[in-house]
Amino acid sequence: MYIKHNLGMSDDYLPHFYHDWMKEPGRTVLLARREGKLVALQSWLIVDEGATAVFEGLRVCPTERGRGISWAVHRFAHSYIQQLHPTIKKARATTKLKNMKNLVLARRAVLCLVGQEESLDDLISHLKQKIRFLGVTSGLIPLNETQLKKVLLDPKLPSRVQLPGGSIIQNSQPLQLMEGNLEILKRWNLTWLADNEEEPAFLSLYAPSYPVPYNGRSMLLNIDMFGTDCILAQCALVGLLEAARSKEELKGTILFQVHMPWSLVETLQAFCDGHQGFTRSGEVLEQMFLEIKYAQI
């Protein structure tokens, strides 16, 4: 598995999360040096009760690209993981690159919108009006910790909401549904919404926003949706934007990325269109969910 990140991308999360990564339980940050100079970084998080390494954040200094450093770091990282964690079985990652098709477990769409904080309330009102026009009178409900545990450990959930690769993916981090991963999800401070707390047909979440270098400095809000009901998807988007608005002090330019099944793209694009304050940023991207068994490396 060989994942590189374009350092010119405007949604780069590494500057914000680097110092937290250095303290996060179960995470390793590998720094590579050549002739005493820092030239690359790779990180991974051990999840799935020790069975999986989730890879993130491969970076190579721009002046060092084209010299095989990424590949050398990649090979060393996988070898080192197996020394540190002899029971490890597989590596997983997500990427928007297009050269990993033989490893793909699942695909999701990523819709990105951008606007200013002063337009957010109007956007929410605009979307709520569209929902009322559809005759929908109630939205999704938040899940508390007890309810969430019951929902996530339900063996029927993956098929009911069509989880990609049978996993919950928070932005770029895939986790299988098992008790050992609940603590990881808890420390990410996620907000969860579902259509009911017993056997939901639709599940959605968002993580607290963080700064990215888009347009100098912007706040990025990541939303993840699981399920195929178009009406529930629209309700989830409104509910999560309202939750973010009430919980956070969002300022300046706001980007939000909606990760979802491809079957929802057309509906959510039309749902978000028509507002002057928030507009689509670029084309809909494809996120690929990758897995490789260590016996294959």
Side-chain angles (χ1 to χ4, degrees), residues 92-105:
R92 287 181 160 186
T94 60
T95 182
K96 299 184 181 75
L97 299 180
K98 296 293 185 181
N99 59 349
M100 308 292 290
K101 293 182 180 180
N102 60 316
L103 302 174
V104 176
L105 286 182

Side-chain angles (χ1 to χ4, degrees), residues 124-150:
I124 293 172
S125 297
H126 174 75
L127 298 180
K128 290 175 75 172
Q129 185 176 5
K130 286 189 173 185
I131 289 178
R132 286 193 295 268
F133 183 77
L134 296 173
V136 179
T137 57
S138 60
L140 277 68
I141 60 173
L143 297 178
N144 61 35
E145 187 174 341
T146 301
Q147 293 167 335
L148 180 63
K149 179 177 180 179
K150 180 180 178 182

